């Protein structure tokens, strides 16, 4: 029987993101199309005899205690299935932190998967997603990965046709954005362009790169990009260097650009790092696994 297991925790981007209103419980009703990337953290989960859960990481930007979502994932399964042994979780962090890329949720989802597989727990992915939604709204999606329409607070998922394979440039400026602050300051009247989910789903089905890239929309740009002009600067630079489309992901501040040509993607990468000083830049691609 295996004593440890490695799982990839993939970053995700929002191809469109719309806010439909605020719910009675204080959460916002959203409609978004999400897509996983090859950019990923590596989660290693190991069994031991300690009886406790531990977190170790190569990043000083994430907690290594019970506030980490990966810890909470292991804790949920440990209690629910009476796991007596210890669980050691090692997080090799590559996804930028507080970036709008669901890095914490991805780590949580991958920990759920790794603990289940390591202990041969009789749980389906849909049952894992049900557990995960109580830890974080993005966790159910991160368990599946690929191309999905997410509604509700992000937990109502509809699988879509696979997203076209394309080069993706990720750029996170050196600012951290609180998701709670962004949602709190969201004002519908300040949104200039709204996403059209039906149109985007059709473009994805038809593998229409131009249609997809011409209709990238995120209503939260009206909050985050308004406060941090560097977001628009990054988008403009990406377009200037050949991106067919560029958009802020989630609540920001990370921006992604979509490129058919790898050389143009590399040129934009170099410009962003050298001229705009954006150090957290990554050239990656779509992952439909």
């Amino acid at each position: 029987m295996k004593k440890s297991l490695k799982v990839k925790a993939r970053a995700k981007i929002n191809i469109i993101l719309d806010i439909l209103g605020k719910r009675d419980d204080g959460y916002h009703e959203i409609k978004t199309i999400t897509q996983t990337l090859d950019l990923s953290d590596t989660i290693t989960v190991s069994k031991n005899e300690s009886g406790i859960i531990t977190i170790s990481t190569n990043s000083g930007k994430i907690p290594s205690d019970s506030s980490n979502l990966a810890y909470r994932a292991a804790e949920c399964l440990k209690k629910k299935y009476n796991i007596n042994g210890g669980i050691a979780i090692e997080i090799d962090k590559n996804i930028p932190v507080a970036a709008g890329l669901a890095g914490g949720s991805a780590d949580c989802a991958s920990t759920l998967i790794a603990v289940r597989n390591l202990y041969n727990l009789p749980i389906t992915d849909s049952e894992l997603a049900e557990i995960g939604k109580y830890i974080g709204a993005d966790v159910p999606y991160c368990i599946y990965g690929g191309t999905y329409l997410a509604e509700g607070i992000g937990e109502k998922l509809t699988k879509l046709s696979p997203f076209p394979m394309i080069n993706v440039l990720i750029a996170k400026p050196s600012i951290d954005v609180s998701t709670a602050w962004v949602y709190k300051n969201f004002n519908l009247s300040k949104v200039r362009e709204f996403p059209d989910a039906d149109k985007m789903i059709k473009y994805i089905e038809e593998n229409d790169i131009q249609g997809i890239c011409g209709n990238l929309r995120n209503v939260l740009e009206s909050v985050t990009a308004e406060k941090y002009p560097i977001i628009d600067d990054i988008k403009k630079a990406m377009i200037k260097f050949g991106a067919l489309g560029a958009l802020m992901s989630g609540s920001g501040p990370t921006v992604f650009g979509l490129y058919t040509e790898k050389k143009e993607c590399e040129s934009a990468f170099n410009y962003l790092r050298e001229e705009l000083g954006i150090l957290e830049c990554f050239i990656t691609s779509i992952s439909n696994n």
Side-chain angles (χ1 to χ4, degrees):
M1 191 179 288
K2 284 186 179 178
K3 293 237 173 140
S4 70
L5 199 59
K6 280 189 180 184
V7 183
K8 291 287 184 191
R10 299 191 187 281
K12 68 103 172 155
I13 53 175
N14 299 85
I15 304 301
I16 62 160
L17 176 56
D18 200 3
I19 308 294
L20 306 181
K22 197 168 183 181
R23 302 172 6 151
D24 292 340
D25 61 8
Y27 286 98
H28 286 79
E29 193 85 15
I30 69 168
K31 192 168 195 174
T32 180
I33 294 174
T34 49
Q35 177 61 49
T36 36
L37 304 175
D38 271 340
L39 175 64
S40 61
D41 296 341
T42 301
I43 310 297
T44 305
V45 175
S46 305
K47 296 177 181 178
N48 58 52
E49 301 302 319
S50 69
I52 61 171
I53 299 166
T54 57
I55 300 263
S56 61
T57 175
N58 64 336
S59 171
K61 293 183 177 181
I62 63 170
S64 55
D65 57 18
S66 59
S67 64
N68 190 299
L69 296 187
Y71 184 105
R72 291 175 59 193
E75 186 178 46
C76 278
L77 294 183
K78 195 174 192 305
K79 285 180 178 175
K80 187 174 176 68
Y81 291 92
N82 297 313
I83 296 170
N84 294 319
I87 301 172
I89 304 162
E90 185 183 336
I91 303 174
D92 185 9
K93 199 82 186 142
N94 293 304
I95 302 170
V97 177
L101 298 171
S105 295
D107 293 349
C108 176
S110 292
T111 300
L112 286 169
I113 291 167
V115 172
R116 175 194 65 184
N117 294 352
L118 199 57
Y119 281 92
N120 295 311
L121 301 177
I123 325 172
T124 63
D125 282 353
S126 61
E127 288 169 329
L128 269 191
E130 190 64 26
I131 293 167
K133 80 176 183 183
Y134 294 104
I135 305 174
D138 279 332
V139 176
Y141 165 73
C142 291
I143 284 168
Y144 298 112
T147 316
Y148 276 83
L149 172 69
E151 298 174 280
I153 60 170
E155 88 289 6
K156 295 176 186 172
L157 299 171
T158 305
K159 189 168 179 58
L160 303 177
S161 299
F163 200 83
M165 298 307 290
I166 195 167
N167 299 297
V168 184
L169 179 59
I170 295 290
K172 182 198 179 271
S174 56
I175 50 176
D176 293 336
V177 174
S178 160
T179 300
W181 173 84
V182 174
Y183 277 91
K184 184 180 177 184
N185 286 277
F186 176 71
N187 184 337
L188 202 63
S189 66
K190 291 188 176 179
V191 178
R192 296 190 195 95
E193 292 183 297
F194 290 90
D196 187 330
D198 292 338
K199 188 185 284 185
M200 184 60 81
I201 290 168
K202 179 172 171 285
Y203 287 137
I204 292 170
E205 283 174 353
E206 294 172 352
N207 221 42
D208 183 347
I209 295 288
Q210 294 289 346
I212 291 168
C213 292
N215 288 275
L216 302 173
R217 303 282 186 275
N218 180 350
V219 298
L220 294 182
E221 285 188 339
S222 65
V223 183
T224 316
E226 184 74 22
K227 183 171 175 65
Y228 301 105
I230 186 66
I231 290 169
D232 277 331
D233 293 343
I234 294 170
K235 287 176 67 177
K236 286 172 185 170
M238 286 181 172
I239 298 293
K240 178 184 173 185
F241 281 89
L244 298 182
L247 191 71
M248 184 183 83
S249 184
S251 55
T254 300
V255 176
F256 67 88
L258 302 179
Y259 294 79
T260 51
E261 299 298 326
K262 186 78 174 282
K263 282 187 178 178
E264 291 178 339
C265 192
E266 289 167 350
S267 296
F269 171 89
N270 291 332
Y271 178 85
L272 289 171
R273 284 181 66 89
E274 293 164 16
E275 300 299 325
L276 291 188
I278 310 296
L279 299 182
E280 288 193 279
C281 278
F282 304 86
I283 294 173
T284 184
S285 57
I286 297 296
S287 173
N288 286 314
N289 296 331

